[in-house]
Amino acid sequence: MASTLLASTAIMLSSLIAVLMTNGGGNRPAKFVYGDHSDLGFSIKFFSILVCFLVAFLLNVQSIRYYSHASILINVPLEKSTCRGNPDGCRQRLHLTAEYVGRTVNRGSYFWSLGLRAFYFSFPLFLWIFGPIPMFVCCVFLVFLLYFLDVTFDFGWVVDEEHCKEDEEMNGRV
């Protein structure tokens, strides 16, 4: 559901940016813009934002693709297997494994994360319209934000020593 919303938002914003690019740009607010005021500069800035949103759209569509494929695979019973070749002398049986379904879900999650990163990357590109200083400040802020989103801390995880010893004794490892 989140991938669908993000993909729809990305394509809508891409359309909006494309309209802004083709609008002629005669009256641009020069009050808040530091740096380049030329039409070529604005075209490059808008085009980079457009490419960023199109990449976000494609990554979110791939996420939807993998999630829907995984939802089909989850409903396939594990007992059933098919044979390659002739069914009489079946040498190879293809089994659907839980690992394959898990990898498919993880790929969908990976593409969703990349699509979300493309949205994060669009913030400095948007602020680039107003000049290099707001873009730099946003980049520094994003580095700190993504650091805390990517790095995990071990708070809240407790190792139960007694439970581990009981498992080792039951399995004969002591």
Side-chain angles (χ1 to χ4, degrees), residues 14-30:
S14 296
S15 301
L16 179 69
I17 295 297
V19 167
L20 288 175
M21 282 178 65
T22 59
N23 198 11
N27 298 328
R28 298 204 201 277

Side-chain angles (χ1 to χ4, degrees), residues 50-170:
L50 177 70
V51 168
C52 183
F53 283 131
L54 288 176
V55 166
F57 171 73
L58 292 174
L59 291 170
N60 282 306
V61 165
Q62 284 295 320
S63 173
I64 295 167
R65 176 182 167 258
Y66 278 111
Y67 282 145
S68 64
H69 184 63
S71 69
I72 292 169
L73 291 177
I74 286 173
N75 293 317
V76 173
L78 287 175
E79 302 87 41
K80 300 230 176 181
S81 61
T82 59
C83 293
R84 276 192 189 167
N86 61 2
D88 298 332
C90 191
R91 292 185 185 157
Q92 281 185 327
R93 289 199 177 270
L94 300 176
H95 296 283
L96 179 67
T97 61
E99 290 82 18
Y100 177 72
V101 176
R103 279 195 313 266
T104 306
V105 171
N106 285 338
R107 282 187 194 125
S109 175
Y110 178 69
F111 278 110
W112 180 78
S113 178
L114 288 177
L116 199 57
R117 293 298 171 102
F119 271 103
Y120 288 151
F121 187 66
S122 70
F123 291 125
L125 290 178
F126 174 72
L127 290 177
W128 187 28
I129 295 172
F130 300 106
I133 296 170
M135 180 184 181
F136 176 74
V137 170
C138 186
C139 286
V140 170
F141 176 73
L142 265 181
V143 166
F144 285 113
L145 176 79
L146 292 176
Y147 172 76
F148 287 111
L149 287 176
D150 288 341
V151 176
T152 59
F153 300 102
D154 292 329
F155 299 126
W157 295 98
V158 178
V159 176
D160 188 9
E161 295 291 331
E162 292 180 21
H163 185 67
C164 291
K165 287 181 184 179
E166 289 175 4
D167 285 345
E168 288 177 355
E169 288 174 2
M170 292 177 76

